[in-house]
Every structure is written in structure tokens, then in C-alpha cells.
Amino acid sequence: MTRTFLVGAALVVTSLAGLAAASDWQFLVHDGCRFAVPGSWRPNADASVVAAPDGSNLSVRSFRITSWSEHKAQIKAAFGPVNVLHEDSDRRLWFEIGDQERTQHYIDVANGLGTCTGLLEIRTTTAPDTRDTVARIADSIGPMPAKTP
């Protein structure tokens, strides 16, 4: 069963098939894109940005594209050298940039002629489970399914 409620203009989904639900995580939807963040993170009015108490944050947008391969090439050229390339596939582009104080994760998920794109900034001095938190957030970003159970 999926329970939903509105936060401002954003749809918050408390359980979504295909995503590991945890009682201390919240599922949000913005611009046709779904994502999950820890329960302590707070969304803005339309859930396009969520922020953690430590200043870490995630912004999510959808973009229309004409070609996934051309889009990825443009993004890689725009960002230049990256610290870590997590994935560069037919489905997702995920890489890290940043410095000692904060790391930005660019997460782009293909959705036909569009993308769900997240820019996740993590303060590097946060909790010891930061790597797991980043992976869970990155894995949760994607298009809303056409139907939810």
C-alpha cells in the first residue's frame, strides 16, 4: 500500500515499490521525479530542494533532451575532470566533484526524452554513514512510475 500526503505543492510518498522503505526516510516527488532522503531533511515548498540540518542538500529537476548520449557528453564537458565516476551507463550518469569541505554528486537518470537530475551536496564532516546515505539517495532518484501499487 502507498500512502501519500501533500507538503506544499509536492507529493510525499511514504512507501514506493522498488525503493527500500525505511521508517526514518521520506520519499518525495518533484517535476515527475522521485527521490528519497533521510527524515531529518526538510523540503522547500515545492520539494525541488531538500536540506539536512548540517547544510547538506539535494536539488532535483527534470529536463527534456533529444539524445541521452549527447546529453551525457555535454554534461561531462561542462563539468570537466571529476573526482569519482560512479556510473556512466545507458541509464545513469553519476559522478563526484568537490573539495575537503563538501562533495557534490551529479546524478542524472535517463527517462526516454527526458532526465531526472539531482545535484547532491554533502558536507564531508557529517555522520559516519555518509557513504551509505549518498548511495541510497542516488539510487532513489528517477522518474515516477506510471502506476504505483
Side-chain angles (χ1 to χ4, degrees):
M1 179 173 123
T2 300
R3 295 181 300 161
T4 61
F5 55 95
L6 290 177
V7 173
L11 177 67
V12 177
V13 182
T14 58
S15 175
L16 186 61
L19 294 175
S23 62
D24 59 341
W25 280 66
Q26 56 185 322
F27 295 98
L28 299 129
V29 176
H30 174 72
D31 205 15
C33 299
R34 56 147 169 86
F35 55 99
V37 294
S40 62
W41 291 40
R42 295 292 169 241
N44 67 352
D46 70 354
S48 61
V49 177
V50 289
D54 71 354
S56 296
N57 61 79
L58 171 68
S59 63
V60 175
R61 303 281 187 277
S62 67
F63 296 99
R64 299 216 20 96
I65 59 171
T66 56
S67 162
W68 174 241
S69 58
E70 288 176 19
H71 172 74
K72 287 194 312 177
Q74 291 171 342
I75 294 299
K76 289 189 265 185
F79 278 93
V82 300
N83 296 348
V84 178
L85 178 62
H86 291 277
E87 185 175 342
D88 183 355
S89 69
D90 290 341
R91 177 183 131 356
R92 180 167 74 171
L93 175 62
W94 173 17
F95 58 81
E96 285 180 43
I97 58 174
D99 55 34
Q100 296 277 358
E101 294 179 23
R102 62 184 176 269
T103 302
Q104 293 92 25
H105 293 258
Y106 180 89
I107 305 133
D108 211 0
V109 180
N111 180 23
L113 292 178
T115 67
C116 285
T117 303
L119 186 58
L120 172 63
E121 181 176 298
I122 296 290
R123 304 292 182 197
T124 56
T125 58
T126 58
D129 62 346
T130 299
R131 189 174 298 226
D132 180 56
T133 298
V134 167
R136 287 180 70 181
I137 293 171
D139 288 344
S140 75
I141 296 171
M144 261 311 274
K147 293 182 182 181
T148 55

